[in-house]
Amino acid sequence: MTAQTWWHSFEEDHDDVAVYRPDGFGFPPARGRRGLELDPDGTVVELGLGRDDTPSRAAHASGASLEVVHQADDRLEIRRL
């Protein structure tokens, strides 16, 4: 099993829930997006923005600080704890 990459779909955020879409999703134009890489072992790697708005591996974090509110093949909703 390989890591899954999800990109922040900030246009769809609601209340205190952040919405993410899988790699390859047809987003509208935006000035860069942050993302998450979910490893099979439960490790979460946050993907930040580099100087030219391209993704950079920002930090490694434990999934314990995130609550998955909803997950489907094409949508991930999380709440930061």
Side-chain angles (χ1 to χ4, degrees):
M1 195 173 214
T2 61
Q4 290 181 300
T5 302
W6 296 83
W7 298 106
H8 189 192
S9 184
F10 52 82
E11 303 91 342
E12 299 180 88
D13 287 356
H14 55 91
D15 303 315
D16 61 344
V17 175
V19 177
Y20 289 77
R21 295 293 187 160
D23 200 30
F25 183 80
F27 288 106
R31 173 110 195 215
R33 291 187 185 273
R34 297 180 186 279
L36 299 173
E37 188 175 276
L38 307 179
D39 291 332
D41 68 0
T43 301
V44 177
V45 177
E46 296 193 41
L47 303 172
L49 296 176
R51 289 186 173 176
D52 57 355
D53 292 337
T54 58
S56 66
R57 294 172 76 77
H60 289 267
S62 166
S65 62
L66 303 174
E67 174 190 4
V68 175
V69 177
H70 173 80
Q71 184 170 6
D73 289 343
D74 67 341
R75 186 179 178 102
L76 174 66
E77 297 184 13
I78 63 164
R79 182 178 295 124
R80 292 194 182 271
L81 303 176

